[in-house]
């Protein structure tokens, strides 16, 4: 993070803008929205600024800039087309320890203005640290379409009831859970649809009858996808943001973990072949204990929790003890990784079915259902098969697949570290060894692998 995002209260405080043209107008408009007392230093004003002056919304100092104009200012913005003036403003402001912004001159600034989504009192600021202001504005546009204009009313409702909720619920966790339920439930929908009186009445009744929220723990079994955070579902992201504690494994990417609520407790229970930070039974008991303590527990898994993610084993324990839970499917490695590798799992000319299998069983062997894996016109996707890749290839050939059958191994698919090795079954293990491939890897076997040469579209080296 190159800059600290902060929000400064400017109500009634003197802010100086040097310049009287169109660029200055944009900055003045922003300051007036923040209810600042704006003084403009400029020999002349454009028509729009002159109109604002006539309405007594700002003060005009009709002069060339002088350092004394900054006395008493809390921030200053230079918005002239004269480089010497802009430099002088920057030097004078820095000498007085006044935050200064010089439009389109990052080197002269001590602060920058952001692209803003205004849902007052909710305000969202997006900055690219001057790397790409256009991109920041494009992101703002996307956010604008996602957040209703009435979100400000929802925040105002919460502010009106804040003290009463604080009196009603004694702990921070109880209050947070209460507000999360309200702000994501029917009351919030009433506000967003313009039924604010009904929402206030419903909130009044809820506070009268709601008992203190104790032992309302819950487990969220969430699929974190194959690595790229953009592949998360909306529901997964929402639950990741409201969890008290996150339990995650080795296959969850750093980029996905960064989206978990910042103050959530993070517990790593990663698994690798023959190496377990916590045995599965202990993970099951950990989920159970934390939920019974009243916590909202995020069980975050790579891919999909029900495809080689042991999600079924975990919810069995929760169901036996009556602990509420949610399961959020994720894009499994088979679909995500194959797509980013340019290998469709089915194709009318090559494969009419697809089978997923694990590269090793619970006892650590690779004694798979080989006859089922060598059927014609199908694609075989092998999870966790890197360690046994040589034996897997030998067995597939021994049970009927051609040594020339195309195959691929994809390492850290969908991420910036994606690597792909393509070969035939006879040489795949050797080439994987030469490439020094490391977990997590996915193996794809079938005629569809031929299509990668034509369909490969994701090249992390070119995207960096």
């Amino acid at each position: 993070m190159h800059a600290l995002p902060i929000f400064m209260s400017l109500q009634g405080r003197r802010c100086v803008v040097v310049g009287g043209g169109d660029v200055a107008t944009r900055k003045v408009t922003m300051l007036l929205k923040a209810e600042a007392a704006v003084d403009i230093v400029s020999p002349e004003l454009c028509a729009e600024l002159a109109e604002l002056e006539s309405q007594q919304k700002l003060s005009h100092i009709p002069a060339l800039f002088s350092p004394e104009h900054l006395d008493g200012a809390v921030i200053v913005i230079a918005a002239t087309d004269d480089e010497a003036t802009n430099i002088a403003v920057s030097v004078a402001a820095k000498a007085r320890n006044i935050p200064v912004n010089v439009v389109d001159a990052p080197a002269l600034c001590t602060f920058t203005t952001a692209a803003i989504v205004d849902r007052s009192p909710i305000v969202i600021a997006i900055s690219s640290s001057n790397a790409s202001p256009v991109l920041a504005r494009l992101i703002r546009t996307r956010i604008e379409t996602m957040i209703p204009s009435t979100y400000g009313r929802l925040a105002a409702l919460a502010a009106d009831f804040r003290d009463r909720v604080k009196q009603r619920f004694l702990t921070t966790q109880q209050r947070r859970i209460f507000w999360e339920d309200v702000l994501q439930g029917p009351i919030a929908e009433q506000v967003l649809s313009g039924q604010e009186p009904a929402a206030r009445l419903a909130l009044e009744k809820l506070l009268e009858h709601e008992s203190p929220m104790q032992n309302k723990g819950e487990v969220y079994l969430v699929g974190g996808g194959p690595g790229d955070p953009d592949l998360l579902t909306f529901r997964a992201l929402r639950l990741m943001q409201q969890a008290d504690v996150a339990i995650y494994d080795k296959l969850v990417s750093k980029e996905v973990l960064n989206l978990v609520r910042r103050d959530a407790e993070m517990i790593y229970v990663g698994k690798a072949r023959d190496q377990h930070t916590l045995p599965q039974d202990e993970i099951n008991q950990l989920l159970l204990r934390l939920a019974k303590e009243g916590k909202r527990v995020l069980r975050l898994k790579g891919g999909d929790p029900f495809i080689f993610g042991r999600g079924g084993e975990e919810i069995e324990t929760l169901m036996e003890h009556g602990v509420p839970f949610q399961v959020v499917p994720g894009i499994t490695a088979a679909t995500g990784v194959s797509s980013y590798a340019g290998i469709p799992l089915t194709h009318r000319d090559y494969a009419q079915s697809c089978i997923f299998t694990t590269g090793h069983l619970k006892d650590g062997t690779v004694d798979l259902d080989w006859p089922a894996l060598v059927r014609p016109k199908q694609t075989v996707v092998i999870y966790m098969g890197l360690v046994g890749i040589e034996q897997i290839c030998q067995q597939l050939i021994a049970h009927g697949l051609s040594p020339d059958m195309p195959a691929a191994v994809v390492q850290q698919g969908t991420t910036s570290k994606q690597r792909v090795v393509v070969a035939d079954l006879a040489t795949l293990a050797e080439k994987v060894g030469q490439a020094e491939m490391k977990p997590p890897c996915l193996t794809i076997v079938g005629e569809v692998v031929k299509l990668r040469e034509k369909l490969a579209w994701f090249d992390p080296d070119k995207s960096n």
Side-chain angles (χ1 to χ4, degrees):
M1 187 166 66
H2 298 292
L4 178 67
I6 62 174
F7 289 85
M8 179 183 292
S9 177
L10 298 177
Q11 291 176 318
R13 306 177 74 186
R14 183 171 187 257
C15 299
V16 174
V17 177
V18 181
D22 292 337
V23 176
T25 300
R26 294 199 298 271
K27 302 302 181 181
V28 167
T29 301
M30 176 184 64
L31 293 171
L32 291 176
K33 285 184 177 181
E35 301 181 24
V38 180
D39 288 350
I40 296 184
V41 178
S42 177
E44 297 179 349
L45 297 180
C46 67
E48 190 170 351
L49 289 177
E51 177 63 23
L52 290 173
E53 183 193 20
S54 70
Q55 298 172 9
Q56 298 184 335
K57 292 184 177 181
L58 55 83
S59 297
H60 178 214
I61 302 173
L64 294 174
F65 172 73
S66 176
E68 295 77 26
H69 291 140
L70 302 186
D71 292 344
V74 293
I75 67 169
V76 59
I77 297 176
T80 79
D81 55 6
D82 181 75
E83 184 178 1
T85 299
N86 290 341
I87 292 174
V89 173
S90 177
V91 170
K94 291 176 181 177
R96 290 165 168 76
N97 289 320
I98 301 173
V100 59
N101 173 262
V102 180
V103 178
D104 291 334
L108 299 178
C109 299
T110 58
F111 80 93
T112 58
T113 56
I116 294 172
V117 178
D118 187 2
R119 300 290 186 267
S120 293
I122 300 297
V123 178
I124 303 169
I126 305 103
S127 171
S128 67
S129 295
N130 287 310
S132 177
V134 173
L135 179 58
R137 289 196 293 271
L138 291 174
I139 294 172
R140 179 196 64 190
T141 300
R142 291 191 180 186
I143 295 176
E144 290 270 13
T145 65
M146 296 168 59
I147 300 180
S149 59
T150 46
Y151 251 53
R153 297 178 187 172
L154 191 57
L157 176 69
D160 290 345
F161 281 82
R162 184 175 181 178
D163 289 341
R164 290 184 57 187
V165 171
K166 191 172 182 178
Q167 294 172 1
R168 187 71 176 83
F169 303 109
L170 300 180
T171 70
T172 300
Q173 181 173 317
Q174 288 174 352
R175 292 194 291 270
R176 180 174 59 77
I177 292 174
F178 175 84
W179 279 122
E180 284 175 350
D181 288 343
V182 168
L183 297 176
Q184 297 178 114
I187 292 175
E189 292 301 325
Q190 287 177 319
V191 175
L192 298 179
S193 62
Q195 303 176 61
E196 192 169 338
R200 288 181 175 273
L201 180 59
L203 189 49
E204 291 272 6
K205 291 181 177 179
L206 185 61
L207 282 172
E208 290 174 5
H209 301 291
E210 179 70 48
S211 60
M213 296 185 181
Q214 298 175 348
N215 299 321
K216 287 198 67 174
E218 186 177 6
V219 175
Y220 310 137
L221 194 61
V222 173
D228 184 347
D230 287 347
L231 299 180
L232 287 168
T233 65
F234 289 135
R235 187 178 176 194
L237 184 58
R238 177 172 62 83
L239 296 179
M240 288 165 65
Q241 286 290 309
Q242 68 184 43
D244 300 308
V245 55
I247 299 173
Y248 64 99
D249 60 37
K250 184 184 175 100
L251 297 179
V252 180
S253 72
K254 180 180 178 181
E255 292 77 10
V256 170
L257 282 176
N258 285 340
L259 297 177
V260 176
R261 204 180 97 214
R262 290 192 180 275
D263 58 344
E265 179 184 0
M266 306 295 289
I267 301 176
Y268 174 65
V269 292
K271 301 184 185 73
R273 180 183 173 90
D274 300 327
Q275 296 179 359
H276 300 271
T277 300
L278 279 182
Q280 186 61 52
D281 288 344
E282 292 188 26
I283 294 175
N284 299 347
Q285 293 303 314
L286 177 63
L287 296 174
L288 184 63
R289 175 175 64 80
L290 291 171
K292 286 190 171 183
E293 290 175 0
K295 295 179 179 179
R296 295 186 170 189
V297 184
L298 171 70
R299 178 61 173 113
L300 187 59
K301 296 173 172 288
D304 181 276
F306 275 13
I307 299 182
F308 305 120
R310 302 185 181 178
E313 298 176 41
E314 293 174 357
I315 68 169
E316 275 185 298
T317 302
L318 300 175
M319 293 182 72
E320 288 171 1
H321 292 83
V323 173
F325 62 86
Q326 299 183 44
V327 180
V328 182
I331 294 180
T332 188
T335 55
V337 170
S338 63
S339 296
Y340 274 59
I343 303 173
L345 296 182
T346 62
H347 190 280
R348 287 188 298 172
D349 295 332
Y350 298 111
Q352 285 74 54
S353 64
C354 178
I355 186 169
F356 299 167
T357 187
T358 178
H360 66 277
L361 302 180
K362 191 172 184 179
D363 60 5
T365 69
V366 287
D367 185 17
L368 307 179
D369 185 359
W370 302 112
L373 300 182
V374 298
R375 292 171 182 160
K377 294 292 185 180
Q378 79 173 4
T379 303
V380 178
V381 179
I382 305 169
Y383 287 68
M384 299 169 286
L386 184 63
V387 173
I389 187 68
E390 183 174 2
Q391 185 179 353
I392 289 171
C393 292
Q394 290 173 352
Q395 290 293 334
L396 290 173
I397 293 171
H399 284 81
L401 282 186
S402 169
D404 296 330
M405 177 65 71
V409 172
V410 186
Q411 175 182 300
Q412 291 186 275
T414 78
T415 75
S416 60
K417 297 179 180 179
Q418 175 175 300
R419 298 171 62 207
V420 183
V421 169
V422 175
D424 54 36
L425 280 180
T427 61
L428 181 64
E430 179 184 357
K431 290 189 176 181
V432 166
Q434 291 172 349
E436 299 182 345
M437 303 286 272
K438 300 183 184 302
C441 286
L442 195 78
T443 303
I444 304 173
V445 180
E447 298 287 349
V448 291
V449 177
K450 294 178 181 178
L451 296 168
R452 170 174 161 75
E453 184 176 355
K454 180 178 181 181
L455 301 181
W457 60 271
F458 178 65
D459 187 342
D461 292 332
K462 291 182 179 179
S463 63
N464 288 341

